[in-house]
Amino acid sequence: MDAAEAAVAPLQSALAQAPTGFAWWLCGLEFELAPPKEIAVVGENAQPLLDVVFDEYRPNQVVAYSRNEEAESMIPLLEERGAEDGKATAYVCFQFACQMPVTEAEALKAQLKG
C-alpha cells in the first residue's frame, strides 16, 4: 500500500487533467483505493451465493468456487474452508483477514458492501 501511494501521489493532478493518458496508473490508483476482496464459495447448491458475488461490478474481487471440499488442495483460497452444516458457504476476506463464514445470500451481500 505504501509503495502504491508513493508512486501515485505525485501524479494526482496529471491523472485528473488527462485520465486517458494514464490508464494503467488509474488502475493502480483504483487498486490502492479499493484493495481486492477474496471470496471463497464451497458446497453444493451455491448458485444463490454466486449470484450475489457476481451481481455487482467489483473489479478487484478474486473468486474461488468448489462444489466439494476435495478440490480445496488445488486452490489456496479454498484451503481449510468447508461447507457449514452441509450448506453452501461463502468466506469473504479483505487484506488478509476473513469475516465469519455465511450461508445466506443476504448475509453475503451485507459482507460485500462493508
Side-chain angles (χ1 to χ4, degrees):
M1 290 290 285
D2 292 339
E5 288 177 19
V8 173
L11 298 171
Q12 285 182 348
S13 63
L15 289 169
Q17 291 175 1
T20 58
F22 294 92
W24 286 110
W25 283 99
L26 288 171
C27 288
L29 177 62
E30 197 275 331
F31 190 78
E32 176 190 339
L33 296 174
K37 289 185 178 179
E38 296 177 333
I39 305 160
V41 180
V42 180
E44 297 285 336
N45 303 317
Q47 195 60 52
L49 297 175
L50 293 170
D51 288 345
V52 169
V53 168
F54 294 112
D55 74 346
E56 289 184 21
Y57 176 67
R58 292 180 199 90
N60 292 335
Q61 79 178 10
V62 175
V63 180
Y65 168 62
S66 175
R67 287 190 180 135
N68 59 50
E69 297 175 27
E70 294 170 9
E72 288 182 20
S73 62
M74 296 172 29
I75 303 170
L77 183 55
L78 296 174
E79 284 182 14
E80 299 182 26
R81 299 202 188 348
E84 299 277 317
D85 299 323
K87 296 180 183 177
T89 304
Y91 299 81
V92 177
C93 304
F94 180 73
Q95 294 183 332
F96 305 104
C98 296
Q99 298 180 39
M100 295 297 295
V102 295
T103 59
E104 300 297 325
E106 287 303 315
L108 177 57
K109 188 179 285 190
Q111 285 188 354
L112 292 173
K113 293 247 186 248

